[in-house]
Amino acid sequence: MDLSGTSATDVNTGPEAAIKAAARQLLVKLGAGRLSLDAVAEGGGFAAGEVAAVFPHRDDLLTALVIDAYNDSGAAMERADQEAREAGAPAGARLLAVSRALRQWSFANPGEFTLIYGSPVPGYHAPQDTVPAASRTPAVLAGIIRSALEAGELTPPRRALPGPPLLLPEAVELFGGLPEAPFADLVERGIVLWSNLIGLLVFQVFSRTHDSVRDESAFFDYAIAVAAESTGLAVPLGEHTD
């Protein structure tokens, strides 16, 4: 089942949308590991055959939900970046805007966030169908960093990554090629930024920072600014809203 071009907002009518909507509610109540076609049928008021006709196996349903989650969260970041660019924002402000957009989506959709960024679902292995949707988040970050590099908005690193590049060809392609010195390790640094962003969201969505800081929204902005420094990008800090 190839659903890589669809999302929860693209397909909002018909049995497929209704089944996925019921499954999303169960993600919050049961968690992805306990999601089953029978549970979705019971919870959504469907006949078991209705669910099986659209999603023959549990993994088909999980894959559809994973793709929707990646597409919806990626689209939220893309919209935020477009708005920032239209407002003439520099790269650092764009990065903060897309990071905040992903944070807002994550808190609004904790079940889907947990599905794609939480613990792996026992017995489920995401197929290649999920890759295009999953690539949207790093593609937004890569686009901002690439723009900053081309605009001369990056500060060269104090020390370069020792040794040869540590990248797979897919990462180089997504970024648009390897930069020249002194930014030869910029793609690796971008991956560090990406992983910091997701890790920070895991901490905040799962309430790991609420007992350590008194303003989680402000701390989020600060953490993004600190993480971005490794790429040479300055993120402005100012107003923040929870």
Side-chain angles (χ1 to χ4, degrees):
M1 180 179 297
D2 182 7
L3 299 171
S4 57
T6 66
S7 73
T9 53
D10 294 332
V11 183
N12 51 23
T13 60
E16 180 179 327
I19 292 167
K20 289 193 292 186
R24 288 188 191 96
Q25 293 182 353
L26 289 179
L27 283 177
V28 178
K29 296 178 181 178
L30 303 178
R34 296 173 59 194
L35 192 69
S36 68
L37 298 184
D38 287 342
V40 172
E42 182 179 352
F46 307 106
E50 290 180 277
V51 177
V54 179
F55 300 106
H57 304 286
R58 181 209 64 164
D59 286 5
D60 297 322
L61 176 57
L62 281 177
T63 295
L65 295 174
V66 165
I67 290 172
D68 280 357
Y70 278 128
N71 274 328
D72 288 350
S73 58
M77 296 176 71
E78 291 162 359
R79 288 192 298 270
D81 190 32
Q82 181 177 351
E83 292 173 2
R85 284 188 284 111
E86 290 175 350
R94 289 170 56 192
L95 177 64
L96 186 58
V98 303
S99 299
R100 286 173 168 176
L102 184 57
R103 181 179 188 266
Q104 183 177 22
W105 178 90
S106 301
F107 276 97
N109 302 276
E112 291 97 313
F113 175 84
T114 303
L115 175 64
I116 57 177
Y117 293 124
S119 299
V121 179
Y124 174 73
H125 302 282
Q128 280 294 111
D129 290 355
T130 62
V131 173
S135 298
R136 291 175 74 168
T137 289
V140 172
L141 301 177
I144 293 172
I145 295 173
R146 167 65 73 176
S147 295
L149 176 64
E150 294 172 350
E153 297 180 38
L154 298 182
T155 301
R158 286 181 290 181
R159 67 171 186 174
L161 178 74
L166 300 174
L167 303 166
L168 293 173
E170 293 82 359
V172 177
E173 181 181 0
L174 186 144
F175 190 75
L178 282 176
E180 298 181 354
F183 298 104
D185 61 355
L186 184 59
V187 182
E188 287 94 338
R189 292 173 181 272
I191 295 172
V192 172
L193 171 62
W194 174 30
S195 59
N196 272 265
L197 168 60
I198 301 304
L200 176 62
L201 287 171
V202 168
F203 258 56
Q204 293 212 328
V205 172
F206 299 151
S207 297
R208 295 292 186 267
T209 54
H210 76 281
D211 56 356
S212 301
V213 300
R214 55 185 173 82
D215 188 331
E216 290 190 271
S217 178
F219 180 77
F220 178 85
D221 289 357
Y222 166 79
I224 294 301
V226 170
E229 286 180 355
S230 69
T231 68
L233 184 59
V235 171
L237 294 175
E239 272 191 38
H240 52 269
T241 57
D242 239 325

